[in-house]
Each structure stands twice: as C-alpha cells, then as structure tokens.
Amino acid sequence: MKKPSRNPAERTAAKPPVKGAALSGLRRGMTLELLIERLDPEGMGVAHFEGATILVAGALPQDRCLARISHLGQNVTHADLIKLTQTSELRTKRPICGEAEQCLGCALIGMRYAEQVRWKHEQVRAELAAYPTLKKVPVLEPLSPNQRMHYRTTAKLAVAGTHREPYIGIYRRASHDVVDLEDCPLHHALVNRVVKATREGISKLKVPIWQEKNKTGVLRYLVVRVSASSNQAMVTFVTYRRAFNEIHHLARFVQEQVPQVVVTCQNVNSSEGNVIFGPHDHFLTKQQTVQDRIGEVEVLISPRSFLQVNNEAAALLYNAVLERAGLTGKQTVLDLYCGIGGIALTLAPHAKRVVGIEMNTEAVADARRNARLNNRRNCRFEAGDVRELLADSIEDEQRFDLVVLNPPRKGCDREVLQQVAELAPERIVYVSCSPQTLARDLDILSGLGYACHELQPVDMFPQTPHVENVALLERIPVKTA
C-alpha cells in the first residue's frame, strides 16, 4: 500500500487544553505508557492515567503501549498509538493491514476474528442488560459471513491534494486530513482498482481537485459501487461544478483501465459542509444502473441507492428477518424504512401483501423497479413521512399481521413506536445497526404491549465495531378477568 498522506491544506487547528485536563497534569503532545483495559462501543482502547480516561485508537485490551496525547477533553482524553511495548493475546499474529494505525477506519482489524465476534456479542448483551425489561432476552450467537475481507462493495472517498499528488481516501478521525488509500483490505478488489485508476487519471489528465480554502478546483469525492454478483462497477465523480470536459475524460480513462466499470456519473455538489452528494446527477454512460443479487432478490443499484455494503452478510440478515416473520402466505406485511425494498421483496413470496414505506423518493423509485424486476406484484411502495403515513393507516383502520422496522442509526421516534403498537400487529421484526438505540426502542415497545423473544446479531462489518441486529417481538396477550 502506498504510504498514507494527509492533505496539508485542510489541517485543523489544535484546540487549547481545557482547565480540567490541565489540573490533571496532562497536556497535548505528552507521551504516556498505558495498559489498555477494554474497548469502548466505538472500538477505541480505554486506559486510565492518574484518574483520567484515555482513548487510544488502534489499541486492544491487554495491550501495553506508548501513546501521545492528541486532544484534551473535559471527560476523556484522546491519544495516538505510537508503539506497542507488549502485545495483547487478542491480536492477530500477522497484521492484516500495514496502514491500520494511520487509517483508523477499521478499529478491530488487529483483533483475531473470533474475539471480534465475542466482543460484539457481549456489547449487544450489555446494552439489553441495561434495561430490566430486556435482561432475560436471549441474544443468539452472531451470524458471520465467510468473506471477512474485501467485502465492502460501496466506497465513498474524499479527494484531496493536487493533480500532481492526489489523495483518495477517508478523513482521519476528528479532522479533515485525508488518509490516502490504495489497496484497502476491506474494499472489494474492483473498488481498489478504480481508486488506483482514478488517481492515475487525475495526474495524467491534470484534473483540478477542489480546494476548500480558496474555493478553486473541481473534483471533491469519488463514489464506487460494485455488483458482487456480476463483477461490474458504477463510478460517480462528485464535483463542485459541472466541468464536463475534465470529468468526461477522467471517466473514459477509468473505464479503459478498468473495463468492469459499466456506469459513470457526475454528481454536482456546490454546497458547503461534508454532505457528499448534491441534487444533480449527469450520467456519462447510457447505462445508469447495475444489477446485483442479495439472497433470492435481484436489485438494480443507482448512484445514490442505499444498500448494505456486504452482500453475503446482507443475505444472512434478510434470511434472519424471514425466519422470524412467521409467514404462511396469508399475512399482510408493513415494511417501514424499506429503502430499495430488499427485505420487502425477500418476504413477498411468503406473504399475501407487502407495503413498504420510505421517505427517500429515489429509494422508492428503486424499490418499485426492483419489484418489477423480481415480478413481485403483491408489493406496493409509498414515499412519504413514516409518521404521516402510519397515521393514515390507523385512520383507515388498516390491519397488518407483521410490521418490519429498519430505521436509521438514531432509531425510531417514540410516536412511530406508539403508532405501530396502535396498528396491533401480531409480530414486529426490528432490524437495527445500533445496539444502543435498539435496546432503548425495545424497552419502549415492552411498555406498549410487545415482548422481545430473541435477538439475532449479524456481523455485517467484520474488522469494525459495528453490528446489525434482528429482534423478534410478539404482542402480549391481554389478560381477561
């Protein structure tokens, strides 16, 4: 892998130490010898020094290390790992990625995989145990994909530097420094090939890179999406302005170097901030989608479609939902936050009718196309606010036997949970990427008459601290006198 670089034009100024940290005797730049005690929920190593809590990215429990303080906060202090003086037994014998300490994008990549799974299992159990209503809920052993490296089929990467020395990668934690990635061990092989070709194309064609400081240049982000089943790729160049000629030639160069790239697109985003996509897409190829397969479902992917980044693990997740749905072909299903319809279309062959609701209108358009692609005529997808459409369903006295919840990381609003309970489905299957908000919402649902019977974790993101979960809830029978 090419030595990681940082974009010097985007370095952020260091914050001055806060009073509490100064009183503890710690200061920015100080080197400490630490024993890592545990990991926090984000996969950061946790140590203590003279009563202060120190977080060290890239460190594992049982590691002894030298770490340099990089940021002083009121409650916790962050430090950069300098050197391991004694390695943990949890570590892999051979490092999987030589640049892990620079990148910090995969907090658990140095940990043996069995230990990763064990840690994630304990994290989920601990979140549930914090609520009396959930202490006895069985948490099953996590489902793990066979492919634990090079599984990531979507990459959204920042572009920085200059055309003479372009950087394509991710932002270093808590900064706008871009760590240059070339052969990421988590990215699908096609993603890495596209990144390499784009870097070469930028230099060869002298494509101007966007400079935030002086508001010049064109290219801001590179987004690559791969169909694992067809081994084809879609590439989106996000630019500050239209700049047709530069991006047209860059797209052609990338396609020549990587013939598996069948769709190229330019997205124009002239807004400030870190939002990647702007409102306008301009396709540079006649083909505008790639087709992929997840489990038994065929899906068409467009540049901004939301789709899990690990196909094999996504199939495990969809199947886990199907197993807990209890469908016999007679039930009506409501899929909330349905995205492009992956779960809905997995359930459709086993249900009488499936209704999907999603705020994102583009995702709903994708879901409708996917329903036609899979010949699922018993699916209907609606775009709109979940609360408003649920209110309409309640008013119309619609009945659903099963409700699937798959909200974003922040979980469901309490009002949505109350509305779901008012619909009175026999079962709820809750899919979540956040154990914290999942536990909170399961506790709320327990007070609304739904008991959680079991929870199935799915390791969607090996080498990272993230874990998906599928929870089965059933309506508690009302006791009669």
Side-chain angles (χ1 to χ4, degrees):
M1 180 181 287
K2 185 177 178 180
K3 182 179 178 180
S5 305
R6 292 183 295 172
N7 179 11
E10 293 186 348
R11 288 181 183 147
T12 53
K15 296 181 180 179
V18 297
K19 293 181 179 179
L23 291 175
S24 70
L26 299 177
R27 65 182 184 277
R28 191 175 184 274
M30 178 183 286
T31 298
L32 307 175
E33 186 171 357
L34 301 172
L35 171 64
I36 305 301
E37 303 161 14
R38 59 183 177 85
L39 296 178
D40 77 350
E42 298 300 316
M44 301 275 282
V46 179
H48 289 88
F49 184 85
E50 296 183 358
T53 300
I54 316 289
L55 299 183
V56 185
L60 299 178
Q62 305 171 22
D63 275 340
R64 288 188 181 275
C65 64
L66 295 178
R68 183 180 293 114
I69 294 176
S70 58
H71 174 74
L72 295 165
Q74 286 185 316
N75 299 317
V76 295
T77 294
H78 291 260
D80 295 329
L81 180 64
I82 299 174
K83 180 183 178 181
L84 293 174
T85 57
Q86 182 177 327
T87 58
S88 167
E89 293 183 357
L90 304 180
R91 284 191 173 275
T92 56
K93 292 183 178 180
R94 294 182 180 180
I96 296 174
C97 177
E99 307 298 345
E101 293 178 10
Q102 295 290 331
C103 174
L104 302 178
C106 312
L108 305 186
I109 198 167
M111 181 185 283
R112 297 202 309 269
Y113 184 70
E115 297 297 336
Q116 293 183 34
V117 174
R118 185 176 294 111
W119 179 78
K120 292 181 183 185
H121 194 200
E122 289 302 318
Q123 284 292 112
V124 176
R125 292 174 63 181
E127 292 296 338
L128 295 191
Y131 295 88
T133 58
L134 305 175
K135 283 185 176 180
K136 295 182 179 180
V137 174
V139 180
L140 306 180
E141 289 292 326
L143 300 175
S144 298
N146 293 317
Q147 186 171 351
R148 296 154 190 172
M149 305 297 293
H150 294 294
Y151 63 79
R152 192 174 183 94
T153 55
T154 298
K156 298 177 181 179
L157 304 172
V159 182
T162 67
H163 73 265
R164 295 182 183 86
E165 190 179 5
Y167 314 142
I168 302 176
I170 64 173
Y171 290 118
R172 185 186 295 275
R173 189 186 297 268
S175 80
H176 274 190
D177 296 344
V178 175
V179 180
D180 197 29
L181 302 177
E182 185 172 336
D183 191 22
C184 174
L186 259 61
H187 287 165
H188 189 283
L190 266 184
V191 173
N192 288 332
R193 288 179 60 193
V194 168
V195 171
K196 181 180 180 181
T198 302
R199 187 184 290 106
E200 292 175 357
I202 290 171
S203 296
K204 182 176 181 179
L205 302 171
K206 298 181 180 180
V207 178
I209 294 173
W210 171 248
Q211 306 294 327
E212 180 67 31
K213 187 175 181 180
N214 54 21
K215 310 297 182 186
T216 61
V218 174
L219 187 59
R220 301 180 68 175
Y221 299 100
L222 173 70
V223 180
V224 187
R225 313 200 70 162
V226 172
S227 164
S229 64
S230 67
N231 200 40
Q232 294 181 332
M234 167 189 295
V235 178
T236 302
F237 304 98
V238 181
T239 61
Y240 183 75
R241 53 185 172 81
R242 183 70 173 92
F244 175 80
N245 286 334
E246 296 96 329
I247 302 304
H248 178 80
H249 291 303
L250 178 60
R252 180 176 294 179
F253 179 86
V254 170
Q255 285 189 285
E256 289 173 353
Q257 299 299 310
V258 188
Q260 291 87 350
V261 174
V262 296
V263 179
T264 58
C265 176
Q266 180 182 7
N267 175 270
V268 179
N269 180 7
S270 58
S271 67
E272 303 293 334
N274 294 327
V275 176
I276 292 178
F277 285 111
H280 303 296
D281 294 325
H282 304 277
F283 285 93
L284 307 175
T285 53
K286 290 183 179 180
Q287 186 172 334
Q288 298 185 2
T289 61
V290 292
Q291 187 168 326
D292 207 349
R293 185 177 183 86
I294 299 179
E296 300 300 317
V297 176
E298 298 286 339
V299 292
L300 290 173
I301 305 170
S302 57
R304 287 184 272 183
S305 298
F306 172 78
L307 192 68
Q308 281 87 358
V309 300
N310 186 335
N311 279 34
E312 183 187 354
L316 293 175
L317 179 77
Y318 292 2
N319 191 60
V321 173
L322 177 60
E323 288 179 350
R324 285 154 185 82
L327 300 177
T328 62
K330 299 179 180 180
Q331 293 86 355
T332 300
V333 179
L334 178 62
D335 184 9
L336 301 179
Y337 313 98
C338 66
I340 66 171
I343 290 176
L345 294 170
T346 299
L347 301 179
H350 311 276
K352 179 180 179 180
R353 183 168 63 98
V354 180
V355 178
I357 294 177
E358 167 64 48
M359 171 68 79
N360 189 305
T361 55
E362 292 176 350
V364 171
D366 286 338
R368 290 169 178 167
R369 282 195 294 267
N370 291 331
R372 292 192 294 270
L373 179 65
N374 289 272
N375 196 29
R376 300 302 176 203
R377 299 181 180 180
N378 61 337
C379 286
R380 186 178 88 248
F381 295 98
E382 299 180 16
D385 182 82
V386 167
R387 285 174 295 184
E388 293 177 3
L389 293 178
L390 279 176
D392 292 341
S393 296
I394 293 169
E395 185 176 345
D396 295 341
E397 297 184 351
Q398 294 187 43
R399 305 296 301 174
F400 295 97
D401 303 289
L402 169 70
V403 173
V404 177
L405 294 168
N406 188 11
R409 181 169 292 274
K410 67 179 182 178
C412 293
D413 293 336
R414 180 181 287 268
E415 183 181 349
V416 169
L417 298 176
Q418 291 171 337
Q419 289 173 313
V420 169
E422 193 169 345
L423 287 174
E426 288 299 318
R427 290 189 176 196
I428 299 172
V429 177
Y430 194 135
V431 181
S432 172
C433 60
S434 169
Q436 294 87 357
T437 58
L438 173 63
R440 179 201 68 199
D441 289 355
L442 293 181
D443 179 64
I444 293 172
L445 285 167
S446 72
L448 296 172
Y450 284 86
C452 182
H453 287 284
E454 67 176 22
L455 193 147
Q456 175 65 72
V458 179
D459 191 15
M460 183 71 68
F461 310 101
Q463 321 308 331
T464 80
H466 305 297
V467 59
E468 296 267 349
N469 292 280
V470 179
L472 170 62
L473 301 95
E474 292 185 346
R475 190 154 58 108
I476 302 171
V478 179
K479 294 182 179 180
T480 56

